[in-house]
Structure formats: C-alpha cells, structure tokens
C-alpha cells in the first residue's frame, strides 16, 4: 500500500541502524506522519501498550521484533534465559486481547530456546520476525483473493452502481503489514476496476476509522464516506449497505469474534436487515484453546481519558480536547464479542467458512 504515492510497510528494520526497528506512530495519523523508533524490548512494549502500533497482525510482528531486541539485550547479561523469559512475559502483558501477541512471542521464545549460541539465538529471533512479517503480507493478500468473488457477485447483480461496504475500526494495511484483512478484497476489487464505496465508522473513542481507515483509503484512491458510529443501522435499513466486512483480534474455535467495541452492534443491525456480515482474519488470530468468546476472551479496559478527551488537529498542532465535564468518569471497554450466530462467514487465508468449529476445522484440519 502507499503513502504519498510511495509503497510502504507498517514496520521495518532501519537499514542505517542495524539494531533499530521503525514504524509509523499511528497516534498522530492522519495529521502527522511520524516515525517511531524501537531500539529495545521496552520500546516495543511501550509501542504496543500505548497504541503506537495496533491491529492484531502488526502487534504480533512488533512483538517478534521486540523479542529479537530482547535477545540482543539478554546476550549481554549473565542470565540469558532469565532476561529473555522476563521480556517475553512483559510483552505478552502489553495488550491482553489480541491473540497474535502471545502467538508471536511464544514462537520466538521457542526458537530462541532451541538454538545454541548467543549470536545464533539473536539471528534466529530476527529471522523469525522477518518471516512473520512476510507471511502476514501473503496471508492478507490471500484473504483478499478469497473474498474478492463476494464483491464481484454483488457488482454483477447491479454493475451500474458501486458496491457499498461498511467496515468498523481499522482492519486495513495499517493494522497489518500490507493489504490489510477487511480492506484487502476492497483494494483488489478497486485494482480490477470494480467500483467500490466504503462507509467508514469513526470508531470512538480512539477514532481509528476516522484517523486510519479514511487515511489509507484516501491514499489508495478508494471512494469512502466517514459516518458516526451509530449511523450504520440506518444505512442498512435503507438498503445503502451491500455487505459488512470487519476484522478481529481474537476468534474462538467456535467462531465467536472479539473486535473493536461497537462491532457487535453492527452485527445485530446487519442480521436484522439481511446484510451479509463477514469477518476477515488471518489464522494467527484464532485461539484454538477457547470456545465461548463471551466467557473466555479477556476484554481490555483502557484509560478513561480516551473517552473523556478527543484528539484532533487544531490551528497548528494535534491537540487533545475534553468533551465532558471535568468531574465525569468514563468506562472504556476496548472490545466486544460478536457471537458466531451473527457472522455470515469467516474469511481466512485458506478460504471462507461458516463461523463454527466445524467450519474452521474444515479449513484447518490440523486443529480438529
């Protein structure tokens, strides 16, 4: 995907600084395109917990790079195993909901522990991070390839009008490495000349839809319209939404999905109006160990000031503005769970399946 016409990935090793990872500071997009440098495992932890990076796939890759930097740090300590184990636990604790975080850290820890020699351990950790990054690019592309026929079929029924797609939060390339999950079929349809239009939820309280999805769609030349979070149901009632595609941070083996708060309400509205509701996900976001999303998925409670304040561009700078009385407290649930019964289908890198254990294991029989 592109920013200002130049192809970019969301995270990369700095060619001029061999032990430095660069990423975009997504807290300041779209108003400022700042580069955030990660030079230690603590920097990686801070980037994840403070939402410099966000989105399950990007969180996972960032954590893998964090483990590489932790291995470099551990190689300078007498107790290598103790230092790397501590760093792994701290990384896992930086965001509780996205399963990619633990998935990536555990893979890195396993490879580091299985490799002999300090230099070799460091090299193995870096090689894994680079592989996870490249795997995510291919995975997101394949998600788009499998979902593209859904858009093509809608277009074929009425080729004179654009396909109207509603999404929530940011499940685009900024949440991944390239292509994105929910946006991948949109970008591929656009590249084929199929007219698409995206309804972009603002996604309070952090406004990832307004700040990030609208930004990246605009950079790719995709027609889109920003809407308040509560508008989607009205649009569906009036036939203005052809399909909904969202992402997910964690999916149970029975097909329940945890995504940005407000996703459940969109699923309810879609179900009531017979609008297809799809969830696009790399298999790395499937938590095969849990079944009931409502009971078993931890829901992150974030800082209340994310609700009490809103960030925007003032006359000359990005500022935070209080939108409620100073004495008002706020609850800030980061995610909600959409039950499998409300999901039309799960779009993975291996194809589309029903949101159920049978559906998922039909594509991933190794987890049956």
């Amino acid at each position: 995907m592109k920013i200002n016409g130049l192809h970019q990935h969301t995270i990369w090793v700095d060619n001029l600084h061999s032990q430095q990872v660069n990423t975009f500071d997504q807290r300041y997009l779209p108003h400022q395109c700042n580069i955030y440098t990660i030079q230690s495992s603590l920097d990686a932890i801070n980037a994840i917990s403070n939402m410099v990076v966000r989105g399950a796939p990007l969180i996972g890759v960032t954590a893998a790079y964090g483990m590489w930097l932790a291995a470099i740090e551990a190689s300078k300590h007498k107790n290598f195993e103790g230092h790397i184990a501590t760093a792994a636990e701290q990384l896992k604790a930086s965001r509780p909901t996205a399963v990619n975080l633990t998935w990536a850290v555990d893979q890195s820890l396993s490879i580091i522990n299985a490799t002999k020699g300090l230099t070799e351990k460091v090299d193995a950790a870096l090689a894994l991070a680079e592989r996870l990054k490249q795997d995510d690019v291919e995975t997101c592309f394949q998600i788009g390839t499998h979902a593209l026929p859904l858009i093509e079929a809608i277009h074929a029924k009425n080729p004179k009008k654009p396909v109207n797609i509603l999404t929530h939060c940011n499940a685009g390339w900024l949440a991944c490495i390239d292509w994105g999950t929910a946006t991948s079929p949109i970008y591929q349809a656009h590249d084929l000349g199929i007219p698409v239009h995206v309804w972009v939820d603002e996604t309070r309280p952090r406004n990832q839809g307004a700040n990030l999805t609208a930004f990246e769609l605009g950079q790719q030349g995709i027609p889109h319209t920003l809407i308040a979070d509560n508008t989607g149901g009205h649009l569906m009632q009036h036939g203005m939404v052809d399909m909904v595609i969202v992402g997910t941070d964690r999916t149970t083996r029975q097909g329940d999905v945890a995504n940005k708060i407000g996703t459940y309400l969109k699923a309810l509205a879609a179900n009531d109006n017979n609008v297809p509701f799809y969830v696009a996900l790399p298999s790395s976001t499937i938590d095969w160990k849990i079944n009931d999303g409502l009971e078993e998925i931890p829901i992150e409670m974030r800082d209340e000031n994310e609700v009490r304040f809103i960030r925007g561009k003032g006359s000359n700078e990005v500022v935070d503005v209080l939108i409620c009385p100073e004495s008002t407290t706020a609850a800030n649930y980061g995610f909600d769970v959409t039950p499998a019964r409300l999901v039309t289908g799960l779009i993975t890198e291996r194809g589309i399946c029903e949101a159920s254990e049978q559906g998922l294991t039909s594509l991933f029989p190794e987890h049956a």
Side-chain angles (χ1 to χ4, degrees):
M1 298 293 102
K2 296 179 179 179
I3 294 180
N4 296 327
L6 298 176
H7 179 258
Q8 303 273 6
H9 282 165
T10 51
I11 192 168
W12 65 97
V13 175
D14 192 312
N15 291 329
L16 300 179
H17 303 88
S18 59
Q19 296 180 12
Q20 176 175 303
V21 178
N22 293 337
T23 187
F24 296 107
D25 191 334
Q26 297 193 24
R27 299 171 299 180
Y28 292 93
L29 288 172
H31 309 299
Q32 298 175 3
C33 193
N34 299 335
I35 302 299
Y36 186 93
T37 60
I38 300 173
Q39 297 177 303
S40 67
S41 58
L42 180 60
D43 287 343
I45 291 167
N46 289 335
I48 295 168
S49 62
N50 294 325
M51 294 185 72
V52 173
V53 299
R54 23 70 54 210
L58 178 55
I59 286 173
V61 174
T62 302
Y65 280 120
M67 287 295 290
W68 166 54
L69 295 170
I72 294 174
E73 297 158 3
S75 67
K76 301 174 184 177
H77 286 71
K78 292 182 179 180
N79 185 2
F80 181 97
E81 289 77 12
H83 184 87
I84 202 71
T86 298
E89 290 307 310
Q90 290 174 338
L91 277 163
K92 288 181 183 180
S94 58
R95 290 289 301 275
T97 301
V99 72
N100 289 63
L101 179 55
T102 298
W103 169 81
V105 171
D106 284 345
Q107 283 195 70
S108 182
L109 192 60
S110 177
I111 284 178
I112 290 171
N113 290 337
T115 304
K116 295 181 178 180
L118 295 181
T119 300
E120 289 77 9
K121 288 177 182 291
V122 171
D123 292 344
L126 175 59
L128 175 70
E130 293 283 282
R131 179 172 64 79
L132 294 182
K133 174 183 172 180
Q134 294 305 318
D135 285 351
D136 186 69
V137 175
E138 179 60 24
T139 292
C140 287
F141 179 78
Q142 291 301 327
I143 287 172
T145 298
H146 291 300
L148 179 60
L150 300 174
I151 298 176
E152 290 176 321
I154 295 171
H155 173 60
K157 292 180 180 179
N158 195 342
K160 294 184 178 181
K161 60 170 287 190
V163 179
N164 284 293
I165 302 168
L166 186 144
T167 189
H168 188 67
C169 194
N170 175 255
W173 78 274
L174 290 169
C176 306
I177 304 300
D178 209 343
W179 290 102
T181 55
T183 57
S184 183
I186 296 172
Y187 292 138
Q188 293 190 36
H190 177 74
D191 289 345
L192 291 175
I194 298 173
V196 291
H197 168 263
V198 182
W199 295 108
V200 179
D201 282 355
E202 60 185 348
T203 325
R204 285 281 292 145
R206 291 191 64 97
N207 295 322
Q208 294 103 321
N211 294 339
L212 303 177
T213 301
F215 171 74
E216 65 169 83
L217 290 172
Q219 291 288 321
Q220 313 311 314
I222 307 290
H224 62 281
T225 303
L226 179 66
I227 57 173
D229 285 354
N230 294 328
T231 306
H234 170 78
L235 297 176
M236 294 182 211
Q237 286 179 325
H238 291 273
M240 300 169 72
V241 178
D242 295 307
M243 65 187 303
V244 180
I245 312 178
V246 301
T248 173
D249 286 77
R250 183 181 296 218
T251 302
T252 73
R253 69 181 296 119
Q254 292 186 351
D256 299 334
V257 296
N259 194 48
K260 184 58 62 181
I261 193 77
T263 303
Y264 172 51
L265 296 179
K266 295 300 182 298
L268 286 172
N271 182 263
D272 191 52
N273 291 281
N274 296 313
V275 175
F277 182 93
Y278 288 95
V279 180
L281 66 149
S283 59
S284 58
T285 62
I286 303 171
D287 190 339
W288 296 100
K289 298 178 181 179
I290 65 174
N291 294 298
D292 189 330
L294 290 174
E295 296 294 330
E296 298 181 81
I297 295 178
I299 299 299
E300 181 179 3
M301 179 68 82
R302 296 189 55 79
D303 188 338
E304 67 171 6
N305 283 333
E306 292 181 352
V307 177
R308 297 175 67 245
F309 289 80
I310 191 166
R311 174 167 289 187
K313 186 177 182 181
S315 57
N316 295 310
E317 59 183 352
V318 177
V319 296
D320 293 324
V321 178
L322 181 67
I323 61 171
C324 63
E326 290 188 5
S327 61
T328 297
T329 59
N332 186 11
Y333 296 91
F335 302 85
D336 59 24
V337 174
T338 299
R341 61 183 173 81
L342 297 175
V343 178
T344 304
L346 300 173
I347 308 168
T348 79
E349 70 270 25
R350 293 188 185 178
I352 303 176
C353 68
E354 69 175 21
S356 67
E357 181 173 4
Q358 182 179 6
L360 283 168
T361 54
S362 70
L363 293 180
F364 302 92
E366 65 270 28
H367 293 284

